[in-house]
Amino acid sequence: MKSEEPKAAPGNTILAKPTTTQQNAMEVNGPTKNNVASPTSQSQSEAQPPAPVLDPHIPREQWGGKYEFLLSCIGYCVGLGNVWRFPYLCYRNGGGVFLIPYFIMLFFTGVPLFLMELSLGQYGAAGPITVWKCCPLLKGIGIGMLCVSTLVCLYYNVIIAWTFYYLGSSFQSPLPWSCEAPANWALCANISSGNGSFQSPSEVFWNEKVLGVVHSKGLHDPGPVRWPLALCLLAGWIIIFLCMLKGIRSSGKVVYVTATFPYFVLLVLIIKGATLEGSLQGVAFYLTPDWSRLASAQVWNDAASQVFYSLGIGVGGLLSMASYNKFDNNVIRDTLIIVVGNCSTSFFAGFAIFSILGHMAWRKGVPVGEVADTGPGLAFVAYPEALALLPGSVFWSILFFLMLFMLGIDTLFGNMEGITTAVLDEFPQLRQNMMHKTLFLAALCFAFYLMGLLLISDGGIYWFTLIDSFSTSFGLIIIALFMCIGISFFYGVNQFCQDIIDMICHCPPWCTKFLFFFKACWVFITPFLLLFILTYIFFEMYNTSLQYGSYVYPFWGKALGVCIGMACCVQIPIWAGVAIFKESGTLKDRFQKAIRPLNSWRANTLSSSGQTEEQAEPERVDGPYTVNLTSMDFNAMTWQSDSNA
């Protein structure tokens, strides 16, 4: 990797490795011209201690093959949002017309930011925090990513616990939320009599048996823990712990099943749905265009939010998984494969969902819009009710919830990888000691389990909705915006593009052409669109209230949600201030030094090209926070051999 010789910065020392013709004895020389030591400086240097020995580089794991990385990323991106969110947004925002703003937002925000995260992780071979040695001023972005990942992991495994509960209940015949179950006979009789005030059996099962929300008055009244769900949540964290125990060596093998099985289930559901009466009505409802919706700002915001939600941008999972790649992996090719796979899954999942919902609407004699829903309402109320109407409903229910489990577990792998990689990079000694790493992972999973108990209490769904609404809202957009601006203007967009070319040793012409497009996006288009999204989010957050069903959140609850979102993005100015405070000189000097990359940022480049031992440029090494050094301390400080004295 070609780069200019960096200047020393406060808190860093400059060391140059000797050449192979130099002797082992080393000495410190004072200021000289053309590196020729004077006799006086030689005599002074004899009293100096020997050259410091740097800590040996701790080897980093790598994926067993490129397919493990691709499947892990696809499994991470193809999550529950593709099944329960995209189809609903598509029908709500003009059917097939929604694909226009969706693909525009995808090409100009999703793909560029996706490539930026993968490239950062792969080039630096570091997690969300350590990777910002490329620009120490922006270390707060990595801390913010860690906060977002923590919040997502906290509530995402609760969804897996619900899935476990439904999966276990699916082994009963008839299904406990169907009208064939004896407990629901009276309820179904009242519904068939035309009294619309009664809930369906699937709604009763969801609200009373699973959530217990009928026993809570709101956010202030969480009530007791639902112990059947607590056992399901514990099982979920045990599975996560076991799959991640050996790092990517174990999780990389698991994804061969968890990332491919959902595609098999979706294909089976699409084929089954196509044979059902009324399925075409559901598909028409899904795709019928309403061109007037293109003029609505909400449609464009929904498209952008879906891109972020499904691709997992700004959370740190992508960056962490890419850090285990080989240095010369074609990151542009992988980006296109993963994004196309993710978007195709979202689109075709709509056929699997709405074909069967159309059949349910036909059976009930109601419009499809009355049975369509989004989020947990689709996955745990509407769709299970539709499956209960099919012949062999037990089989279809088991298959569906097994698919939801696979989708959720893959996404959780990526988020947990972001957290563990960040911590292990900051404390690399944990990588060397398997016992310490195991204890850390066990403590992390147990801590998440304890915090998650609040979300599976009687009023836990209110807390779940609050965290879900604000953890990946404006805070995530701000993190992505600063990441884009920081790389483009502080690190340098030209240097970043050159880094990508260096990774792709034999960069084909099409890759170079793509980089021109990405450069324009990173500098102009993507920041502008992110600002538009951010403005709309703040406007909507100010003018609309947060609700779950008929429950309207109090002012203090919404304020708490805003604080949750702010806790993620406020890390950026805090750690930028710390980086500037560590430096010395005027404020301008401090800023310029804080945006200069550490030389260890190039370590992965040198090791990949076999130049580690022949490094000619000085190495900038982090010094203790308590040491305040200036550039003058290093201007003429070089290590020379006795033979050159």
Side-chain angles (χ1 to χ4, degrees):
M1 176 69 196
K2 296 180 180 180
S3 60
E4 296 180 359
E5 178 173 325
K7 299 178 182 179
N12 300 281
T13 61
I14 291 185
L15 302 175
K17 294 181 184 288
T19 63
T20 56
T21 59
Q22 293 174 324
Q23 299 179 2
N24 293 331
M26 311 285 285
E27 60 182 8
V28 180
N29 296 289
T32 60
K33 184 177 181 179
N34 297 329
N35 290 332
V36 177
S38 64
T40 304
S41 63
Q42 293 177 19
S43 61
Q44 291 175 347
S45 64
E46 291 176 356
Q48 297 293 334
V53 178
L54 300 177
D55 292 335
H57 177 69
I58 299 176
R60 188 180 186 82
E61 294 176 306
Q62 287 190 337
W63 295 104
K66 63 180 180 180
Y67 295 112
E68 289 186 10
F69 169 69
L70 284 175
L71 287 175
S72 295
C73 284
I74 290 175
Y76 169 68
C77 297
V78 178
L80 297 169
N82 300 74
V83 174
W84 74 17
R85 197 166 185 266
F86 179 84
Y88 176 82
L89 290 178
C90 200
Y91 108 80
R92 191 183 75 175
N93 292 305
V97 172
F98 179 71
L99 298 177
I100 297 175
Y102 175 76
F103 281 113
I104 290 176
M105 288 295 182
L106 178 70
F107 290 139
F108 292 108
T109 59
V111 178
L113 292 174
F114 195 94
L115 175 62
M116 179 174 283
E117 275 205 53
L118 290 190
S119 302
L120 271 176
Q122 183 172 306
Y123 188 86
I129 299 178
T130 311
V131 78
W132 290 104
K133 56 191 173 183
C134 70
C135 183
L137 184 76
L138 301 179
K139 185 178 181 179
I141 294 177
I143 306 291
M145 288 180 172
L146 190 64
C147 294
V148 174
S149 291
T150 301
L151 292 171
V152 172
C153 288
L154 178 62
Y155 77 80
Y156 216 87
N157 212 14
V158 173
I159 302 175
I160 295 178
W162 295 338
T163 304
F164 265 136
Y165 191 90
Y166 269 87
L167 185 60
S169 301
S170 297
F171 286 92
Q172 305 176 39
S173 183
L175 294 173
W177 54 83
S178 67
C179 283
E180 285 76 15
N184 298 326
W185 286 349
L187 182 61
C188 292
N190 289 328
I191 293 176
S192 61
S193 66
N195 192 334
S197 61
F198 290 93
Q199 291 182 318
S200 66
S202 61
E203 290 176 299
V204 172
F205 184 82
W206 169 244
N207 291 320
E208 296 184 10
K209 301 293 184 181
V210 181
L211 298 180
V213 68
V214 294
H215 306 299
S216 175
K217 298 178 181 178
L219 199 63
H220 63 285
D221 180 29
V225 172
R226 311 281 295 179
W227 290 110
L229 281 182
L231 293 177
C232 294
L233 184 65
L234 180 62
W237 280 116
I238 290 176
I239 292 175
I240 290 293
F241 170 76
L242 294 176
C243 290
M244 298 193 65
L245 188 58
K246 295 184 178 180
I248 61 172
R249 287 179 296 172
S250 54
S251 62
K253 300 298 184 292
V254 173
V255 294
Y256 279 105
V257 176
T258 58
T260 56
F261 181 77
Y263 285 96
F264 167 74
V265 177
L266 282 176
L267 180 62
V268 171
L269 290 175
I270 289 175
I271 295 173
K272 178 61 180 177
T275 64
L276 299 175
E277 190 73 30
S279 60
L280 290 180
Q281 298 176 10
V283 173
F285 185 81
Y286 169 46
L287 294 178
T288 301
D290 180 4
W291 296 99
S292 62
R293 295 291 294 163
L294 286 177
S296 172
Q298 180 186 0
V299 175
W300 294 86
N301 178 71
D302 284 348
S305 64
Q306 175 60 21
V307 168
F308 271 82
Y309 192 89
S310 62
L311 291 180
I313 298 170
V315 185
L318 293 171
L319 202 151
S320 298
M321 288 188 288
S323 70
Y324 298 106
N325 269 339
K326 294 181 179 179
F327 181 78
D328 58 354
N329 179 63
N330 192 329
V331 68
I332 298 180
R333 177 202 59 203
D334 288 354
T335 296
L336 297 178
I337 292 174
I338 296 166
V339 169
V340 169
N342 175 70
C343 297
S344 301
T345 305
S346 297
F347 180 69
F348 287 106
F351 291 95
I353 298 300
F354 274 94
S355 61
I356 294 182
L357 290 181
H359 175 69
M360 181 172 70
W362 175 80
R363 290 280 296 266
K364 289 187 170 185
V366 298
V368 180
E370 292 188 13
V371 299
D373 205 346
T374 185
L378 173 64
F380 299 108
V381 178
Y383 208 72
E385 183 178 354
L387 294 176
L389 299 176
L390 300 180
S393 57
V394 172
F395 169 77
W396 295 111
S397 182
I398 293 174
L399 205 61
F400 175 72
F401 287 110
L402 199 56
M403 179 189 72
L404 288 188
F405 167 73
M406 298 291 187
L407 290 172
I409 210 78
D410 272 342
T411 303
L412 198 54
F413 278 157
N415 287 299
M416 284 294 292
E417 196 63 62
I419 297 174
T420 55
T421 301
V423 175
L424 293 178
D425 283 349
E426 291 295 299
F427 303 97
Q429 60 272 19
L430 290 176
R431 293 187 187 275
Q432 293 181 312
N433 193 314
M434 187 62 186
M435 178 61 69
H436 291 170
K437 181 180 177 181
T438 302
L439 291 176
F440 159 71
L441 187 60
L444 182 65
C445 292
F446 186 66
F448 273 124
Y449 171 72
L450 292 180
M451 291 187 291
L453 292 177
L454 173 65
L455 307 184
I456 55 173
S457 59
D458 286 342
I461 188 63
Y462 298 123
W463 288 94
F464 174 91
T465 305
L466 182 71
I467 297 176
D468 182 30
S469 300
F470 287 97
S471 62
T472 56
S473 180
F474 64 89
L476 188 62
I477 304 297
I478 291 176
I479 289 174
L481 177 62
F482 274 89
M483 179 178 68
C484 188
I485 293 176
I487 293 297
S488 299
F489 298 101
F490 294 164
Y491 181 72
V493 68
N494 291 327
Q495 179 62 61
F496 188 64
C497 291
Q498 183 60 48
D499 292 345
I500 296 176
I501 293 175
D502 289 342
M503 287 190 292
I504 308 173
C505 299
H506 304 286
C507 186
W510 65 267
C511 284
T512 307
K513 293 178 181 178
F514 265 107
L515 280 178
F516 285 114
F517 165 75
F518 290 129
K519 185 185 296 187
C521 290
W522 291 327
V523 175
F524 300 109
I525 304 174
T526 303
F528 172 78
L529 291 176
L530 290 177
L531 284 174
F532 161 74
I533 300 166
L534 194 61
T535 303
Y536 184 86
I537 287 176
F538 283 129
F539 178 80
E540 186 180 39
M541 187 170 58
Y542 179 79
N543 289 284
T544 60
S545 57
L546 181 64
Q547 292 182 246
Y548 174 76
S550 60
Y551 174 74
V552 180
Y553 281 71
F555 175 79
W556 67 268
K558 191 173 180 180
L560 179 61
V562 173
C563 291
I564 290 174
M566 287 297 298
C568 300
C569 56
V570 77
Q571 305 296 329
I572 300 174
I574 290 177
W575 289 95
V578 171
I580 292 176
F581 179 77
K582 284 172 55 181
E583 306 295 349
S584 62
T586 64
L587 184 60
K588 181 179 179 180
D589 293 337
R590 290 170 182 254
F591 179 81
Q592 290 177 342
K593 294 172 183 177
I595 65 175
R596 192 161 51 213
L598 302 180
N599 243 38
S600 54
W601 170 244
R602 310 291 178 195
N604 197 28
T605 316
L606 296 167
S607 62
S608 68
S609 58
Q611 299 176 5
T612 306
E613 296 301 325
E614 299 179 4
Q615 181 179 358
E617 63 176 320
E619 182 178 1
R620 184 179 170 196
V621 184
D622 286 329
Y625 284 55
T626 55
V627 178
N628 188 23
L629 304 176
T630 64
S631 299
M632 293 184 63
D633 293 315
F634 311 104
N635 283 343
M637 187 175 179
T638 57
W639 299 101
Q640 301 289 342
S641 68
D642 290 337
S643 61
N644 291 336

